[in-house]
Amino acid sequence: MHIAREDAIVSAVNRLLAEKGFEAMTVDEVAAEVGIAKASLYKHFPSKEDLAAAAMVRVMNRAVAFLDSLDTTQPPLERLKRVVRWTIEVKLDGEMPSLPSESSSLRQTLTTNKAYVDGLMNVSDRLGGWITEAQETGGINAALPPLVVLYTLYARACDPVLGFLKSAGLYTNEQIIEMVLSTCFEGLNTR
Amino acid sequence: MHIAREDAIVSAVNRLLAEKGFEAMTVDEVAAEVGIAKASLYKHFPSKEDLAAAAMVRVMNRAVAFLDSLDTTQPPLERLKRVVRWTIEVKLDGEMPSLPSESSSLRQTLTTNKAYVDGLMNVSDRLGGWITEAQETGGINAALPPLVVLYTLYARACDPVLGFLKSAGLYTNEQIIEMVLSTCFEGLNTR
DNA sequence: GTCTATACTAGGATAGAC
DNA sequence: GTCTATCCTAGTATAGAC
């Protein structure tokens, strides 16, 4: 099955991107992990950049699907927290591909990838709406520009604290999630 | 002067590490930026890893020097905030080399580099002391393990929010610093 | 300790048979 | 659409003259 094969490829790419990033990932590794020849990969995807972009698009689609699944009767702050929790869970599971650095060749490919840009816009618009709602109702600090709040939430997807705490081995995933959610929304200071 | 030349090399490496990370940085670029031949670089440093490690050691030494410069009559929470502010400033200036991913060849070199490990231990011990002090005096949330606080502070050195906000061009560096400090210590929620 | 020139390898991409 | 075999560039590292 053609689609199942491509899905396996994208899964391998996704995992490797999460583990080592775009530059350090090699196409040979991807082929080895999928269990096919490198040349076969290139029948499915024209370049390493497109391979990585497919993984980024998929995770973006997963994010959109998660937003769709949220109970809209919940208050906006609660929905935002659930999104952050989902993001952290994905990263702890080793399934969150890390963003390329600003000067990476992948950036160019991504910014011209309609599926990716559309997904990002979709997610940003919806989260942006919830943020301003949560600021109006007093849940989120109204002194912060919504853009700053949005970026701060996005940043949980590449928070190194998660990896550090996981490799320390002192806490369960659930404990890590609760602590990182706490530092994110409540801050480090005593309340 | 031998030492001035090596300093220029390390500065170039540092800037390139900050801009694109270890894997994407090439030795050719370093040579070009310093304005010497690639072979000359290898007379000073035996490998790309050692080149990068030298930059990591230097930034660690700068951190130690900054801790030394702090006014010890200030309360621990105030000192912690100043350290985070310093870290953010260095990153905004494009002088904070980004950590290698966990599977990078640079990791191995760093973990066996005594100057780096000693600096990291020194910084961690002192910050750790201030954190527990600040928790005892009620400044920092005592429910958080000190290790979690420490990692959360360290994470400001590679916070993508800084780059996003800077490239958005809507705020001055000082505004960015204040907002990121606020989200770090006060959190996103209303107080 | 700097240079030019080159060796060597990893890795992205392709040819061509089946 | 998969394979084996190969191409070719980029990039790390070194030789050897000055």
Side-chain angles (χ1 to χ4, degrees):
Chain A
M1 193 61 181
H2 183 80
I3 253 199
R5 172 53 55 94
E6 294 209 339
D7 204 60
I9 294 172
V10 174
S11 291
V13 171
N14 190 81
R15 211 193 57 67
L16 286 165
L17 283 180
E19 183 189 328
K20 46 209 317 179
F22 177 71
E23 325 284 346
M25 175 188 84
T26 71
V27 179
D28 292 270
E29 285 171 324
V30 178
E33 177 142 336
V34 179
I36 62 176
K38 184 161 58 164
S40 304
L41 279 187
Y42 282 95
K43 300 285 182 184
H44 292 274
F45 300 92
S47 74
K48 184 187 176 185
E49 280 75 17
D50 290 278
L51 216 43
M56 300 301 289
V57 167
R58 195 178 70 168
V59 80
M60 192 58 73
N61 287 341
R62 284 179 66 189
V64 170
F66 181 78
L67 294 194
D68 286 337
S69 80
L70 283 173
D71 177 358
T72 54
T73 66
Q74 293 287 319
L77 179 57
E78 182 57 30
R79 275 175 277 162
L80 290 172
K81 282 186 181 173
R82 291 194 186 178
V83 175
V84 174
R85 169 181 281 273
W86 174 83
T87 305
I88 295 174
E89 284 170 350
V90 172
K91 177 144 177 73
L92 281 173
D93 286 346
E95 292 177 3
M96 183 61 78
S98 35
L99 298 172
S101 78
E102 294 180 29
S103 63
S104 170
S105 63
L106 179 52
R107 275 292 173 101
Q108 174 67 13
T109 303
L110 277 181
T111 55
T112 58
N113 184 310
K114 179 157 165 47
Y116 181 76
V117 173
D118 283 355
L120 184 58
M121 290 296 145
N122 181 334
V123 171
S124 296
D125 286 347
R126 288 158 79 177
L127 292 184
W130 299 349
I131 289 167
T132 50
E133 263 191 82
Q135 287 180 314
E136 282 158 10
T137 56
I140 282 190
N141 182 359
L144 293 169
L147 189 69
V148 172
V149 178
L150 180 67
Y151 287 167
T152 303
L153 298 181
Y154 275 152
R156 285 330 99 210
C158 51
D159 192 342
V161 172
L162 296 167
F164 287 153
L165 286 178
K166 191 168 181 187
S167 68
L170 296 168
Y171 307 101
T172 65
N173 279 8
E174 184 55 31
Q175 288 175 312
I176 294 174
I177 293 169
E178 288 298 332
M179 292 189 293
V180 171
L181 276 173
S182 167
T183 60
C184 179
F185 287 96
E186 318 283 333
L188 295 173
N189 287 355
T190 308
R191 284 195 175 247
Chain B
M1 193 63 181
H2 182 79
I3 254 199
R5 173 53 55 92
E6 293 208 338
D7 204 61
I9 295 172
V10 175
S11 291
V13 171
N14 190 81
R15 211 193 56 69
L16 286 165
L17 282 180
E19 184 188 326
K20 47 212 312 179
F22 178 71
E23 325 284 347
M25 175 188 84
T26 72
V27 179
D28 292 271
E29 285 171 325
V30 178
E33 177 142 336
V34 179
I36 62 177
K38 185 161 56 165
S40 304
L41 279 186
Y42 281 95
K43 299 285 182 183
H44 292 273
F45 299 92
S47 74
K48 184 186 176 184
E49 280 75 16
D50 289 278
L51 217 43
M56 301 301 288
V57 167
R58 195 177 71 168
V59 81
M60 193 57 74
N61 287 341
R62 285 179 67 187
V64 170
F66 182 78
L67 294 194
D68 286 337
S69 80
L70 283 173
D71 178 359
T72 54
T73 66
Q74 294 287 318
L77 178 56
E78 181 57 30
R79 275 175 277 163
L80 290 173
K81 283 187 179 170
R82 292 195 185 177
V83 175
V84 174
R85 169 181 280 273
W86 175 83
T87 305
I88 294 174
E89 284 171 348
V90 173
K91 177 142 177 74
L92 281 173
D93 286 346
E95 291 177 4
M96 184 60 79
S98 35
L99 298 172
S101 78
E102 291 180 31
S103 64
S104 170
S105 64
L106 180 52
R107 275 291 173 103
Q108 173 69 10
T109 303
L110 276 181
T111 55
T112 59
N113 184 310
K114 180 158 164 47
Y116 181 77
V117 172
D118 283 355
L120 184 60
M121 288 300 146
N122 182 333
V123 171
S124 296
D125 286 348
R126 288 158 78 178
L127 293 184
W130 300 350
I131 289 167
T132 50
E133 264 190 81
Q135 286 180 314
E136 282 158 11
T137 55
I140 283 190
N141 182 359
L144 292 168
L147 190 69
V148 173
V149 179
L150 180 67
Y151 287 167
T152 303
L153 298 181
Y154 276 152
R156 285 330 101 210
C158 50
D159 191 343
V161 172
L162 297 168
F164 287 154
L165 286 178
K166 191 168 181 187
S167 68
L170 297 168
Y171 307 103
T172 65
N173 277 9
E174 184 54 32
Q175 287 175 314
I176 294 174
I177 293 169
E178 288 300 330
M179 292 189 294
V180 171
L181 276 172
S182 167
T183 60
C184 179
F185 287 95
E186 318 282 334
L188 294 174
N189 288 354
T190 307
R191 283 201 174 242

